[in-house]
Amino acid sequence: MGDMNFPDPNTTTEHDGWDWDSEKWTKWGSCNGSGDSKPEGYDDTKAIASGVMTTGEMVVVNADGTVSVVEEKIVLGQTFPEEIVSSDVKQNSSGNVTSSAYDTDNNLSVVVWTESSGIYIVAGSMEDDGSILYGTPFEVVAVPVGHAPPQVEYIESSKNFIIAYDDKNNSNYGTAITLTLSPNKTFTKGTPYVFLSNRAASISVAAQSTSGFTAIAFYNDQLGIGQIFRCRVAGSVIEGLGTTVFTPSGAYGATPKVVYNPLSDLCVVAYTAQDNYKGRAKAFSMVGMSGNGSITFGAEVEFVNGG
């Protein structure tokens, strides 16, 4: 019968000849007649619909012919943490989920989390029944948890992921690594690249969708300043293009966040200034980044007046 939009049954129990019976919408008729009566000798006919409630809930046809609201559920694979739902980033007993990303080429989502033994990633596909089927967790690197939660970003031009983290096995140096994902949910990793030869306390990653240019924002704990490392990813190779200071007073308290806007082809880095605890942001372009040329920032904007 096609999709229909049903009203909230809490406010009305009738809609265009359909009735809500406390569990489902049904519409009764007859095989050869009209009206609500059932001719003798004929079976009931019941029309079934699937669509969306006006409350935003999706309804589907069940195996028994009834209509019900779709429930979110997760199909877990292997040893993936049991309390992770969808792409939520949350603490749970099995590990600490730190970031997620989406592979537009393979139509797969990935989630990154940390255990006491290292950093892990897993890929998942959305199934027809609304569940997520995960592959086998993959160990990105066997390092203890550092001070900066690992961050992942998908790079469309090179068709792989980049993960940035602080390597506790190497003096908490800021480090990045590439990962290539196959359609069968298996990963191949590249060679780690050290972008900061001292402690990176906070990390955020953004990538331009078409060029492979990538920006990693972080807090340089030794110098007490906020910086952006610029690189270009080609295949599994990370090419360093230099580092630029985005705030000489550091990014205190909150992790600096950098995001890419494909509509304007600009990035924005947001952070909390250490001198007055105010929220600030700057825009910059990754177009044409090459060599060790510095990033040119737009005007700094204050969006939260701290105390």
Side-chain angles (χ1 to χ4, degrees), residues 1-174:
M1 291 191 61
D3 291 344
M4 296 186 63
N5 291 325
F6 294 98
D8 185 350
N10 293 318
T11 59
T12 180
T13 59
E14 297 182 357
H15 174 68
D16 193 25
W18 293 77
D19 295 316
W20 177 258
D21 64 2
S22 79
E23 293 183 351
K24 58 186 178 297
W25 289 98
T26 57
K27 186 174 185 179
W28 297 92
S30 63
C31 292
N32 64 347
S34 60
D36 296 330
S37 61
K38 179 182 67 174
E40 184 177 354
Y42 288 90
D43 293 331
D44 291 330
T45 60
K46 181 173 61 175
I48 302 296
S50 63
V52 180
M53 306 283 279
T54 56
T55 56
E57 297 172 301
M58 180 70 72
V59 293
V60 295
V61 179
N62 301 314
D64 62 357
T66 60
V67 177
S68 61
V69 174
V70 174
E71 297 180 359
E72 281 189 275
K73 67 175 181 177
I74 299 298
V75 175
L76 298 174
Q78 304 298 321
T79 58
F80 190 63
E82 293 183 353
E83 294 183 14
I84 298 171
V85 178
S86 187
S87 60
D88 291 348
V89 175
K90 60 195 294 186
Q91 183 80 27
N92 60 73
S93 59
S94 298
N96 184 29
V97 180
T98 62
S99 59
S100 60
Y102 178 67
D103 182 337
T104 55
D105 293 286
N106 290 312
N107 194 28
L108 295 172
S109 298
V110 301
V111 179
V112 173
W113 76 97
T114 58
E115 301 276 359
S116 60
S117 58
I119 300 171
Y120 296 85
I121 189 170
V122 73
S125 56
M126 183 67 71
E127 302 300 296
D128 292 338
D129 63 356
S131 63
I132 300 176
L133 182 61
Y134 286 101
T136 302
F138 178 80
E139 184 182 73
V140 179
V141 59
V143 298
V145 177
H147 298 278
Q151 301 296 305
V152 62
E153 182 78 351
Y154 184 67
I155 304 173
E156 291 185 19
S157 61
S158 59
K159 302 185 186 305
N160 59 5
F161 295 90
I162 185 170
I163 296 180
Y165 59 98
D166 65 324
D167 189 345
K168 197 170 183 177
N169 284 342
N170 188 24
S171 303
N172 293 109
Y173 284 3

Side-chain angles (χ1 to χ4, degrees), residues 168-186:
K168 197 170 183 177
N169 284 342
N170 188 24
S171 303
N172 293 109
Y173 284 3
T175 308
I177 190 171
T178 59
L179 287 146
T180 302
L181 176 61
S182 68
N184 64 359
K185 305 175 187 175
T186 59

